[in-house]
Amino acid sequence: ARVQLDTITYNAGVSACGKGGQWARVLKLVAEMASSSAEVDTIAYNTSISACEKLGRWDKALGLVADMAFARVEVKTIT
């Protein structure tokens, strides 16, 4: 059976890729998530921003912050 991709499964993938140092794959998953029926939530953005920051990709992290604001996703203290 095929796994249904939803917000939770995408967030798990984003987290795993972030921990694995794969910032480009993190960004691809977030983009894929945004074009699907899954909600790109605060968890997805924070995990992605954190992964990019830890890997020295501040340009990508700041781009995600801007995307988050544009999508009107709630910004938390950790963001």
Side-chain angles (χ1 to χ4, degrees), residues 46-57:
N46 285 346
T47 304
S48 302
I49 290 165
S50 178
C52 290
E53 174 268 325
K54 287 177 183 169
L55 297 166
R57 296 307 311 243

Side-chain angles (χ1 to χ4, degrees), residues 30-65:
V30 171
E32 192 177 299
M33 195 175 181
S35 66
S36 75
S37 61
E39 175 189 0
V40 186
D41 61 1
T42 304
I43 294 168
Y45 277 113
N46 285 346
T47 304
S48 302
I49 290 165
S50 178
C52 290
E53 174 268 325
K54 287 177 183 169
L55 297 166
R57 296 307 311 243
W58 284 100
D59 57 327
K60 302 298 183 187
L62 292 173
L64 287 164
V65 171

Side-chain angles (χ1 to χ4, degrees), residues 2-18 25-41 43-45 47-48:
R2 185 172 162 89
V3 174
Q4 179 64 31
L5 298 178
D6 60 11
T7 301
I8 294 169
T9 54
Y10 272 111
N11 282 342
V14 167
S15 178
C17 291
R25 188 158 296 185
V26 166
L27 297 178
K28 182 179 179 191
L29 281 173
V30 171
E32 192 177 299
M33 195 175 181
S35 66
S36 75
S37 61
E39 175 189 0
V40 186
D41 61 1
I43 294 168
Y45 277 113
T47 304
S48 302

